[in-house]
Amino acid sequence: MNNGSFGPDPYLNGEGAFQTITGVQSVGVQACAKHLIANNQEHGRYRLNANADDRTLAEMYWYPFLRSIE
């Protein structure tokens, strides 16, 4: 499950992740929410250093993950 696949809106990401996980688990399949803060790209991801302040992390990344694990 990649929360980033629902677009740039943190609310939409959280709701999409929550509904997807709920749907998967409703048929007896285990779902896992991976939390990769500030991992927005695949190309060169092992070489990059993403620096983000607490406000950015809270507004853009924490809500989708916390919503997905409710």
Side-chain angles (χ1 to χ4, degrees), residues 1 3 6 11-21 67-68:
M1 172 77 214
N3 289 351
F6 295 106
Y11 178 79
L12 181 61
N13 280 327
E15 294 304 306
F18 176 79
Q19 294 299 328
T20 300
I21 291 169
R67 179 68 174 126
S68 71

Side-chain angles (χ1 to χ4, degrees), residues 1-3 21 24-25 29-35 65 68-69:
M1 172 77 214
N2 179 358
N3 289 351
I21 291 169
V24 168
Q25 291 179 341
V29 177
Q30 183 178 6
C32 176
K34 292 182 98 179
H35 190 215
F65 175 71
S68 71
I69 62 171

Side-chain angles (χ1 to χ4, degrees), residues 3-60:
N3 289 351
S5 66
F6 295 106
D9 184 322
Y11 178 79
L12 181 61
N13 280 327
E15 294 304 306
F18 176 79
Q19 294 299 328
T20 300
I21 291 169
T22 301
V24 168
Q25 291 179 341
S26 73
V27 294
V29 177
Q30 183 178 6
C32 176
K34 292 182 98 179
H35 190 215
L36 304 171
I37 288 185
N39 182 25
N40 294 347
Q41 68 178 44
E42 290 295 317
H43 181 72
R45 72 179 184 167
Y46 296 114
R47 296 186 314 251
L48 297 176
N49 183 12
N51 295 318
D53 62 7
D54 288 342
R55 181 176 178 182
T56 301
L57 292 174
E59 291 179 1
M60 299 301 296

